[in-house]
Amino acid sequence: MIFFHEAKKLFHLQGDSYSYFMQVRNGILTHLYWGSRLPDEDVSALIPEVQAYASFDNEYNRLTFEVPTQEKGYYAQRALNVLNHDGDDVLSLRYVSHEIFHGKKALTGLPSAYAEDDADTLVITLEDPLTHVRVHLNYTVYTGFDVLCRSLQVENAGEKDIELKNVQEASVFLPKGEYDILHLKGSHCRERNALRSQLPRGFFSLDSRRGASGHENNPFLAVLEHNADETRGQVYAMTHVYSGSFRLSTDVSIDDRVSMMIGMHPDVFSWHLAPGESFQSPEALLVYSGEGLGGMSQRFHRFIRKRICRGYWRDLPRPILVNNWEATYFGFNEEKLLAIAEKGAKIGCELFVMDDGWFGKRDSDNCSLGDWVVDKKKLPGGLKPLGEKLNALGMRFGIWFEPEMISPDSDLYRAHPDWCLHVDGRERTEARQQLILDMGRKEVQDYLIDALSKVLESANITYVKWDMNRNMTEGFSCVLPSERRMESQHRYMLGLYRVLDEITSRFPEVLFESCSGGGGRFDCGMLYYMPQTWTSDDTDAFERIGIQWGTSMVYPASAMGAHVSVVPNHQTMRITPFETRCNVALGGNFGFELDLSKLSDEDTEKAKAAVRTVKELRTVLQQGTFSRLIDPTRHDNLASWQFVSEDEKQVVVCLYQRRVKPNMQPERVYLQNLIPDARYRNQETGETYSGAALMHIGLNVPSTWTDYDSWVFRFERV
Ligand code: GLA
């Protein structure tokens, strides 16, 4: 619901469990409150206008601007910096008008959350009286989903050119408090490890300048009460529906005022706006949870599954796949692929994914990106007969692409050496021996749409792994005029989104999975087009627990690709039991990534059993409510998480133990989110317990003599 109190010019955005108040005070749109849901009433007198303490520091520095800019005595972080024609960036935004409507408009050129008759939107227009820069602020409130969407457009309604230097699409002030921050940090093979620390004083930021959301920092930040845990305490969290460079920041002023922002990274962005032109920011997703981090994640998960992910596969059980990358790398032919697929079919897999190496002359990673034509040396008959043979085995056919890239050793590069991002006169820095296409150029977009469509039409392909294996260097488009060169990174994203929009609409029943050297571009922008992402190139089961744990802070299990691989593991050389590798992979979209044709009889039986379990449970796992039970970043030996089906009838608890320790105190796992008075039957032992007992007494961690052991407990409500 969105309320407007005309006399007080007070806005109240009321979600199912949160409220957000703003008021126009002396023409300035002022943030009043974001937190637990309140009845609709006039609360403005509870938050009096700030007074200047002394003439040295006027009241402007204490105002809680909804869009902080450079004006009068405001010295804190700014959400918007607009260089006007005279070269200064003073911007006094004042309320002009607003509009409230049912529904939600898609953002032009960018992915965004959508509504299904369950949202209302408020658009507030502010304007600077001198330059006539107008800012339209969009707020969407849902019924049934506790996420507040925010974005803004900057319109040049003046008569002179302006330059956007900094655009943060959401900025909020939090109540004074003792806070921690939680964010997801990493690198290639170590993505999204949850890191919690004290909220630093002063300015703190985490970001990406890479031209992708990146491995280092996921575009997510939570500010939480120091005492908050998985089930208790207040949490304020942000992410956005964007896949490019970004900045998330907090600022704690000298007088303990706390603010938080998300937006474009100002170091790699600026945007030229001629009179009459507008700029659309990405969309921020804001979550308030009064029920700790678990409550925050559950709000994100449902929303991402139902209002970011779209299309044919949104609610369908995801196929169990076998991917040949770690099985063969580049060294395969049709016979080898079919041998793996045949065994996969016997085990119960449903989809075979042919990874990198099927095109051009790509026998290693030094060539052919851009030449999306099948390598007849490896696949003499081409893709169509391979697809038919897979289909005859009962398997769907999936294929890998890395569309945004170009190898210097490729026919595409020889024909179009200027199609890559570069700066004339400077070395074109290669990474993994490849360069990046200038996705901002229409001819490049059209080439890709055409080349990929031809491949997808040439065979019965129903899955695509869309990879992106390096970040930008000299990330500039040589066709943009100098005053627009700094727009290159964002124009790249807009171009990529156009290609994704076109390809996913042309092939609506194809399941797309995004990837970027594993999980280097795991964000809501990508999930809008592709409902799942390859979580990490690290397939070691115990490393994966931390990665999947961190990823689950924001993203649902249905968004995470998780595969069983060989031991010794290729990234860590660690040896873990086959069952444990399966038990970790069932925390995401389950698959295999090893040479199944070489699997021992014993492991084959275990693989069959795991596939049977996943088929029985995947609706619970992919669409259920996820709770984190034992935190591997805090417990030195255990990790545990839990899924409850949407109808609250089935409960699955996964428990992992790192190593055997002698003479241990018995440990317990406390379940969450059960109905206290309901009874649940352990499907293995037949014993039944109340939800209250399972939550408060918990389960005993079984004793074991095996390192890297794991258990899956299944309960049914009776
Ligand atoms: C990336 C992906 C891998 C694999 C390789 C192929 O690293 O994350 O899964 O597809 O590329 O080159």
Side-chain angles (χ1 to χ4, degrees), residues 353-372:
V353 180
M354 177 173 64
D355 211 280
D356 194 356
W358 59 267
F359 52 92
K361 55 182 177 75
R362 190 156 164 98
D363 294 325
S364 92
D365 58 11
N366 62 2
C367 68
S368 301
L369 294 169
D371 298 345
W372 301 111

Side-chain angles (χ1 to χ4, degrees), residues 72-248:
K72 296 190 187 273
Y74 189 78
Y75 300 107
Q77 290 302 317
R78 283 119 200 204
L80 212 54
N81 290 75
V82 181
L83 214 57
N84 68 40
H85 196 256
D86 294 334
D88 65 78
D89 70 346
V90 177
L91 193 66
S92 297
L93 293 173
R94 296 295 178 266
Y95 171 83
V96 175
S97 63
H98 75 272
E99 183 199 352
I100 296 171
F101 61 88
H102 185 61
K104 181 177 191 297
K105 291 184 187 150
L107 307 192
T108 315
L110 284 167
S112 56
Y114 56 94
E116 290 188 354
D117 198 26
D118 51 4
D120 295 296
T121 299
L122 163 69
V123 183
I124 304 177
T125 297
L126 311 175
E127 184 173 328
D128 176 59
L130 183 68
T131 59
H132 300 293
V133 171
R134 287 184 152 224
V135 178
H136 307 280
L137 303 171
N138 308 297
Y139 300 82
T140 297
V141 180
Y142 285 81
T143 317
F145 294 98
D146 262 324
V147 173
L148 172 64
C149 301
R150 276 185 69 172
S151 66
L152 58 83
Q153 290 110 20
V154 183
E155 178 195 342
N156 184 357
E159 283 166 5
K160 294 174 177 166
D161 289 8
I162 58 172
E163 201 77 41
L164 307 189
K165 290 291 185 195
N166 171 29
V167 176
Q168 304 295 302
E169 68 256 12
S171 149
V172 288
F173 288 93
L174 304 181
K176 190 170 169 173
E178 287 294 311
Y179 292 113
D180 283 355
I181 50 171
L182 183 120
H183 59 104
L184 305 175
K185 71 170 199 86
S187 64
H188 180 226
C189 285
R190 281 193 291 110
E191 296 90 336
R192 289 175 305 287
N193 280 281
L195 189 71
R196 182 170 174 166
S197 51
Q198 203 179 347
L199 173 66
R201 304 200 70 79
F203 183 69
F204 164 81
S205 74
L206 48 98
D207 58 24
S208 165
R209 294 178 186 80
R210 296 168 168 269
S213 46
H215 293 90
E216 282 177 317
N217 290 307
N218 193 259
F220 156 79
L221 178 66
V223 175
L224 61 158
E225 285 181 317
H226 187 58
N227 295 327
D229 59 20
E230 280 294 329
T231 55
R232 285 163 306 194
Q234 306 200 80
V235 183
Y236 306 87
M238 287 181 178
T239 183
H240 66 180
V241 193
Y242 189 62
S243 318
S245 299
F246 70 91
R247 191 179 75 185
L248 264 152

Side-chain angles (χ1 to χ4, degrees), residues 589-605:
N589 294 318
F590 188 91
F592 293 96
E593 190 157 334
L594 51 87
D595 188 346
L596 289 176
S597 68
K598 293 188 182 145
L599 214 58
S600 68
D601 289 348
E602 196 189 337
D603 283 351
T604 301
E605 289 314 309

Side-chain angles (χ1 to χ4, degrees), residues 658-707:
R658 186 168 286 276
R659 58 191 186 279
V660 175
K661 288 186 181 179
N663 194 15
M664 288 217 295
Q665 286 294 323
E667 298 254 17
R668 312 203 66 76
V669 193
Y670 300 97
L671 276 54
Q672 292 175 22
N673 276 317
L674 306 187
I675 303 168
D677 296 336
R679 297 200 65 79
Y680 297 84
R681 179 191 296 120
N682 180 325
Q683 285 177 270
E684 205 184 331
T685 65
E687 296 160 351
T688 68
Y689 297 101
S690 66
L694 292 171
M695 291 192 289
H696 299 297
I697 299 180
L699 300 175
N700 199 37
V701 174
S703 56
T704 174
W705 294 108
T706 307
D707 282 346

Side-chain angles (χ1 to χ4, degrees), residues 325 330 355-356 362 400 432 465 467 469 515 517-518 534 537:
W325 178 242
F330 295 100
D355 211 280
D356 194 356
R362 190 156 164 98
W400 179 97
R432 211 191 187 203
K465 178 174 171 187
D467 211 340
N469 280 323
C515 176
W534 177 228
D537 275 348

Side-chain angles (χ1 to χ4, degrees), residues 39 50 72 81 164 271 310 317 366 370 385 387 441 447 552 699:
V50 287
K72 296 190 187 273
N81 290 75
L164 307 189
W271 201 269
R310 303 169 298 159
N366 62 2
R441 287 171 71 165
Y447 166 78
S552 79
L699 300 175

